[in-house]
């Protein structure tokens, strides 16, 4: 029987265990979105994970709308990532960069930003985090074909930068209501061209992004994250099962290394998700390594492996206060609790001051 502690081949690399560190936005970069030295310690402390997926990292200024989140579009950012990847490797770990375009979730008040881009002229609900406090979102501008080609070029450039920074690969963030998700799901995509309408058309942008990235770094160093079974940041779909099954089949055809699927719990009545998991249909359609995420404990993660539902499990919030999470799992050490007030607070508190177990 496969264990969480068994190694796993993820495309071009072999992870020493099946405990993946999920991407976690922590807002510790500079105002210019450059990683800072304490991020070296943060990622090195968590190098016991089989694979670290970095916090979401902007591919361009227009793509990034979260204050103090890191980017990977210029030389200064690349140089600042290098000691981080080196530290993880020296500790025996693997690390990939999650590539992020937020689409309509970008607020134009951030320095250098303009009207946000999306599949269609829609507006993100709620209030945006900005350097000047929370503000209402702005209506997005529907992307032209030229815009799409420009963004594909930004994905290619960010991928090359990730290679130069020493990452073991990249993950394309196609989940949680961000740009790619805004093309995938039908309550945000009202296009009438080849990028809208049918399932085949709505997955076209994802396919083109993945091909652009995979052609740059290799499909065996490319992963994708999707979130099919709930509304995320106002983005949802009326019939996600065939949509995400076809997306998984398309990704399998390209030959990416792994697919990570974020699906919160569903109990048929008042669960966190709106519908049962779509992941089983996606797993049947996808030939690569399949990673499940959201609300997993050690026991639940092992049960998913035992049932053949996944090849690995990614854990997010447990890694915040437990930098040595795999050892705590293996040795039966109780988990520490994190302080939600420090998730995005800046500084070392609640970031690199959680100790490993004795």
């Amino acid at each position: 029987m496969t264990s969480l502690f068994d190694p796993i081949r993820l495309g071009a690399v072999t992870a020493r265990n099946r405990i993946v560190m999920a991407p976690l936005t922590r807002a510790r970069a500079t105002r210019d979105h450059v990683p800072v030295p304490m991020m070296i310690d943060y990622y090195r402390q968590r190098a016991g994970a089989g694979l670290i997926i970095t916090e979401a990292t902007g591919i361009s200024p227009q793509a990034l709308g979260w204050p103090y989140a890191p980017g990977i579009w210029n030389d200064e950012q690349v140089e600042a990532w290098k000691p981080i990847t080196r530290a993880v490797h020296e500790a025996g770990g693997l690390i990939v960069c999650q590539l992020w375009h937020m689409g309509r979730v970008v607020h134009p008040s951030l320095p250098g930003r303009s009207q946000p881009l999306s599949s269609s002229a829609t507006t993100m609900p709620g209030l945006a985090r900005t350097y000047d406090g929370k503000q209402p979102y702005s209506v997005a501008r529907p992307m032209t074909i030229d815009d799409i080609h420009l963004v594909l070029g930004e994905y290619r450039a960010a991928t090359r930068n990730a290679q130069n920074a020493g990452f073991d690969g990249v993950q394309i963030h196609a989940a949680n209501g961000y740009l790619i998700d805004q093309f995938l799901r039908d309550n945000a995509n009202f296009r009438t061209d080849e990028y809208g309408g049918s399932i085949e058309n709505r997955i076209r942008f994802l396919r083109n992004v993945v091909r652009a990235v995979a052609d740059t770094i290799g499909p065996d160093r490319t992963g994708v994250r999707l979130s099919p079974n709930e509304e995320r940041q106002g983005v949802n779909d009326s019939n996600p099962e065939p949509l995400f099954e076809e997306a998984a089949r398309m990704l399998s055809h390209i030959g990416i290394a792994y697919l990570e699927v974020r699906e919160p719990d569903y109990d048929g009545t008042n669960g966190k998700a709106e519908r049962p998991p779509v992941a089983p249909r996606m797993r049947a359609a996808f030939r690569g390594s399949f990673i499940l995420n959201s609300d997993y404990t050690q026991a639940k993660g092992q049960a998913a492996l035992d049932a053949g539902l996944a090849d690995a499990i990614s854990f997010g919030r447990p890694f915040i206060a437990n930098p040595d999470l795999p050892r705590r799992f293996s040795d039966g050490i109780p988990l520490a609790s994190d302080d939600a007030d420090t998730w995005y607070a800046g500084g070392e508190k609640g970031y690199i001051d959680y100790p490993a177990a004795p």
Side-chain angles (χ1 to χ4, degrees), residues 142-170:
M143 291 174 68
T144 65
I145 298 301
D146 286 344
D147 290 328
I148 289 172
H149 290 320
L150 176 64
V151 169
L152 292 176
E154 292 173 345
Y155 272 104
R156 292 187 191 95
T159 302
R160 288 191 294 270
N161 285 344
Q163 287 179 290
N164 292 336
F167 285 102
D168 297 293
V170 298

Side-chain angles (χ1 to χ4, degrees), residues 58-224:
I59 63 170
S60 70
Q62 182 67 27
L64 185 55
W66 191 282
Y68 301 109
I72 194 158
W73 64 78
N74 64 37
D75 291 343
E76 185 180 8
Q77 293 162 342
V78 170
E79 290 303 312
W81 277 115
K82 285 181 178 179
I84 297 171
T85 61
R86 187 182 312 120
V88 171
H89 292 152
E90 289 173 350
L94 298 169
I95 183 168
V96 299
C97 184
Q98 190 188 60
L99 303 181
W100 198 22
H101 195 305
M102 297 174 67
R104 71 181 190 178
V105 189
V106 175
H107 195 273
S109 72
L110 272 70
R113 308 316 192 260
S114 58
Q115 184 180 11
L117 300 175
S118 188
S119 61
S120 305
T122 61
T123 306
M124 163 77 178
L127 298 175
R129 291 175 179 268
T130 77
Y131 290 118
D132 300 314
K134 293 189 175 182
Q135 300 186 42
Y137 286 96
S138 298
V139 62
R141 177 170 66 80
M143 291 174 68
T144 65
I145 298 301
D146 286 344
D147 290 328
I148 289 172
H149 290 320
L150 176 64
V151 169
L152 292 176
E154 292 173 345
Y155 272 104
R156 292 187 191 95
T159 302
R160 288 191 294 270
N161 285 344
Q163 287 179 290
N164 292 336
F167 285 102
D168 297 293
V170 298
Q171 185 194 65
I172 298 163
H173 195 343
N176 296 1
Y178 296 117
L179 180 63
I180 296 174
D181 213 15
Q182 293 159 27
F183 273 84
L184 287 173
R185 299 207 259 183
D186 61 13
N187 87 330
N189 184 341
F190 304 106
R191 299 176 74 96
T192 57
D193 63 1
E194 65 267 36
Y195 288 93
S198 68
I199 287 175
E200 179 183 6
N201 284 355
R202 283 184 282 130
I203 68 173
R204 191 182 307 275
F205 183 62
L206 170 62
R207 183 180 67 213
N208 290 350
V209 170
V210 174
R211 283 179 171 168
V213 169
D215 287 348
T216 302
I217 199 171
D220 59 352
R221 292 186 182 273
T222 302
V224 171

Side-chain angles (χ1 to χ4, degrees), residues 298-323:
Q298 179 184 355
K300 183 181 172 186
Q302 183 60 55
L305 298 189
D306 293 344
L309 299 175
D311 300 301
I313 304 295
S314 69
F315 298 86
R317 291 177 186 171
F319 264 109
I320 292 177
N322 301 277

Side-chain angles (χ1 to χ4, degrees), residues 257-306:
Y258 64 89
L259 173 58
E260 184 197 16
V261 178
R262 181 192 187 278
E263 290 200 304
D265 285 334
Y266 174 83
D267 65 5
T269 54
N270 60 350
K272 296 179 181 179
E274 300 170 355
R275 61 182 69 232
V278 183
R281 289 178 60 166
M282 299 171 71
R283 178 159 175 75
F286 184 72
R287 294 189 300 269
S289 295
F290 199 76
I291 303 172
L292 287 178
N293 169 261
S294 193
D295 304 313
Y296 280 91
T297 61
Q298 179 184 355
K300 183 181 172 186
Q302 183 60 55
L305 298 189
D306 293 344

